[in-house]
Amino acid sequence: MSCPFPSLISPYADQVNQETFSWLVASGMIDDPVELARYREANYGRLGARTYPYADHDMLRLVTDWCVWLFAFDDAFCESDRRAAEIARALPQLLTVLDDVDDLAGVRVENPFARAMLDIKGRVIASANADQLDRWRSVTKDYLFAQVWEAANREDAVVPTYGDYIFMRRRTGAMLTVFALIDLATGHPLTPDDWRHPDVRAITESANDVVVWDNDLLSYAKERHGVNSRNNLVSVLARHRHRSIQHAMNHIGRMRDEAILRMLVLRSELESLRSEAVTGYVRGLEHWISGSIDYSLTSTRYTRAWQGTSAPRVIRHERH
């Protein structure tokens, strides 16, 4: 998995890792002791430390807590046998939290995921301008609705078509929700015109594709015998393009390398804007690619599934 982008880690990595785990325990999103032990062992705080190495302590806590919220929601709703209707019924409280810009004073929030999201949203409000907040809320809603689509595929044992999968994976992967926090972490907000710039949109889409396709490769060993095995690009290519598992993985490797090349071309073109906000955002996208690879190759969330298996060889980690 070639990666031309720098690999860095925040000096707050260990501190934030402990603080985020304590936040997770207090949130009640994960209440099973065995599962909590797995979360402690996986060191999720180091993902934030690698993907936002430039963030100050408070902002690193925010983005790391949000990443852990996404992992917890994914494990509870998206990698479980929960039916689409169950996920749909969980949406009202979550959407209420996102839609109500106030602090929901006097409203009882019972769902632990909604309570934790309310805490995250409050910290986003404290750091974001109106455009940044709206961007994060909008893409988070897209992510939540996309989980219903994915659950319906699980429920009906459907392997989505290639076109549907590529389109929806940009939403089910939640990457736009974490990319929306990059310019909060850099301290240089993107303007609405920056965000709508076609090259900014294009480089965001390419970065999104690289991270989620890498995740499909890295998590295939973990997912291939689970309830979510059909919602993986390896499975989609094997079913609809009649490829072997190894050939599907090789093809994804070529796809993600082409997307990285597009990012390099777009980065060069965006430099002509001479915008500190855009430059910081592009570097943030690059840190997400290098950081997610580095984290995944060392976290027990992924490495445990590789041990003792005969899964196809997919990892060739290169730095340029």
Side-chain angles (χ1 to χ4, degrees):
M1 303 178 75
S2 61
C3 184
F5 309 127
S7 175
L8 303 175
I9 189 166
S10 168
Y12 304 112
D14 292 336
Q15 178 185 352
V16 167
N17 185 57
Q18 295 174 4
E19 293 169 345
T20 291
F21 181 75
S22 296
W23 177 82
L24 172 66
V25 173
S27 75
M29 291 187 291
I30 304 292
D31 56 9
D32 177 64
V34 174
E35 189 68 8
L36 279 174
R38 292 195 186 102
Y39 268 70
R40 182 189 290 277
E41 185 181 7
N43 291 320
Y44 289 109
R46 298 185 78 80
L47 173 62
R50 288 192 176 279
T51 52
Y52 301 88
Y54 48 86
D56 64 25
H57 170 267
D58 290 346
M59 190 55 62
L60 186 59
R61 268 298 311 277
L62 168 60
V63 297
T64 303
D65 288 357
W66 177 237
C67 287
V68 168
W69 189 98
L70 291 166
F71 276 121
F73 189 84
D74 187 68
D75 288 339
F77 288 90
C78 312
E79 293 204 13
S80 69
D81 57 0
R82 297 219 190 187
R83 299 170 69 85
E86 290 183 75
I87 298 178
R89 282 192 291 270
L91 293 183
Q93 282 202 41
L94 298 172
L95 296 175
T96 297
V97 166
L98 288 170
D99 275 340
D100 195 327
V101 181
D102 299 324
D103 290 335
L104 297 176
V107 177
R108 185 176 181 182
V109 181
E110 297 177 349
N111 185 308
F113 290 92
R115 287 198 304 269
M117 179 182 280
L118 181 61
D119 174 60
I120 295 289
K121 190 196 73 171
R123 285 187 274 165
V124 172
I125 289 173
S127 302
N129 61 36
D131 290 326
Q132 291 171 309
L133 174 62
D134 283 347
R135 195 189 320 143
W136 177 75
R137 292 164 61 206
S138 176
V139 293
T140 299
K141 290 178 190 178
D142 280 352
Y143 161 75
L144 292 171
F145 285 121
Q147 301 315 312
V148 180
W149 172 83
E150 191 171 78
N153 289 338
R154 288 195 300 271
E155 192 172 320
D156 295 337
V158 169
V159 178
T161 66
Y162 177 82
D164 284 354
Y165 185 83
I166 294 297
F167 179 84
M168 292 301 292
R169 189 68 172 106
R170 291 168 181 157
R171 291 149 181 84
T172 62
M175 293 314 303
L176 293 178
T177 77
V178 295
F179 290 172
L181 299 178
I182 288 175
D183 63 331
L184 269 72
T186 65
H188 300 289
L190 293 170
T191 68
D193 286 342
D194 289 336
W195 181 243
R196 289 193 294 265
H197 192 287
D199 287 346
V200 171
R201 289 296 182 92
I203 201 170
T204 299
E205 183 174 281
S206 291
N208 191 347
D209 286 342
V210 173
V211 177
V212 298
W213 296 342
D214 282 356
N215 182 260
D216 281 0
L217 288 172
L218 292 162
S219 63
Y220 181 73
K222 178 172 70 73
E223 295 177 347
R224 61 180 177 158
H225 299 305
V227 296
N228 216 33
S229 61
R230 297 175 183 85
N231 287 304
N232 186 298
L233 186 53
V234 177
S235 300
V236 169
L237 288 171
R239 170 65 63 85
H240 294 297
R241 299 294 175 90
H242 307 292
R243 299 178 185 272
S244 69
I245 297 301
Q246 185 64 69
H247 286 165
M249 289 182 165
N250 293 344
H251 184 74
I252 296 168
R254 291 190 293 272
M255 289 170 60
R256 52 93 60 200
D257 286 349
E258 290 168 2
I260 284 181
L261 288 176
R262 287 195 296 273
M263 287 185 66
L264 294 173
V265 172
L266 289 164
R267 178 179 67 180
S268 178
E269 294 175 354
L270 285 168
E271 286 173 355
S272 65
L273 297 179
R274 301 186 182 278
S275 165
E276 190 170 14
V278 171
T279 297
Y281 177 73
V282 170
R283 287 176 179 166
L285 295 175
E286 294 172 353
H287 282 302
W288 249 106
I289 292 173
S290 63
S292 60
I293 292 173
D294 290 337
Y295 172 77
S296 299
L297 293 178
T298 58
S299 172
T300 55
R301 182 176 178 90
Y302 304 100
T303 59
R304 184 182 286 114
W306 304 336
Q307 296 167 0
T309 73
S310 57
R313 181 178 177 85
V314 300
I315 305 302
R316 182 168 56 86
H317 195 209
E318 297 178 351
R319 291 273 174 210
H320 298 297

